[in-house]
Amino acid sequence: IGVDIGNRIILEAKKRYPNVYFSVGDAWNTANLLRIQKDYIKRHRDTVLRCGFDVVYIDLGGLSGNDGILEALMLLSSLQHSLEPRCMVIKSKCMRQLSSILTSFWQYQQN
């Protein structure tokens, strides 16, 4: 399932990848994302093995500045709890900046 807020992007994606299910949606509206998922499952009952998403790719390009990290974390938490993906891939400048100052648990434990 491919979801983007931009209608033109979805139309182009449908042309380029006709075998992939695409829909216009807003990541902040998790209820709508669940409706999109439900519609997909209804249309592909015979091929869907599980209800959750395998991978969710998230582009947080518009979230930056002082509140960007908090907004990004809120969105990621909301998507994790509602969509239950096995994996989330995040493209985000503010999250990259945050990760550059954090110390991993394993690194911390060794010190």
Side-chain angles (χ1 to χ4, degrees):
I1 299 174
V3 178
D4 194 276
I5 198 166
N7 192 44
R8 284 189 298 175
I9 291 171
I10 293 297
L11 290 174
E12 182 63 31
K14 285 180 177 182
K15 288 179 194 172
R16 291 180 70 182
Y17 306 99
N19 296 329
V20 177
Y21 182 82
F22 289 99
S23 182
V24 175
D26 184 349
W28 289 99
N29 187 346
T30 53
N32 186 51
L33 294 177
L34 291 173
R35 282 190 288 276
I36 292 168
Q37 179 187 32
K38 188 177 180 180
D39 181 53
Y40 175 82
I41 291 169
K42 197 183 298 182
R43 293 175 189 223
H44 300 88
R45 273 195 188 123
D46 49 334
T47 59
V48 174
L49 301 176
R50 65 189 286 284
C51 290
F53 289 90
D54 288 323
V55 181
V56 174
Y57 297 92
I58 306 161
D59 183 349
L60 299 173
L63 300 178
S64 60
N66 294 335
D67 296 329
I69 292 172
L70 294 177
E71 289 175 350
L73 290 173
M74 287 177 11
L75 178 60
L76 296 173
S77 177
S78 177
L79 292 173
Q80 173 63 38
H81 286 75
S82 60
L83 303 180
E84 299 178 339
R86 293 182 187 184
C87 175
M88 291 172 46
V89 178
I90 305 156
K91 176 187 167 218
S92 167
K93 183 177 180 180
C94 65
M95 294 302 288
R96 186 180 74 213
Q97 289 171 339
L98 175 63
S99 70
S100 70
I101 61 170
L102 297 176
T103 303
S104 73
F105 175 75
W106 310 115
Q107 214 173 8
Y108 177 79
Q109 198 175 31
Q110 291 174 354
N111 292 333

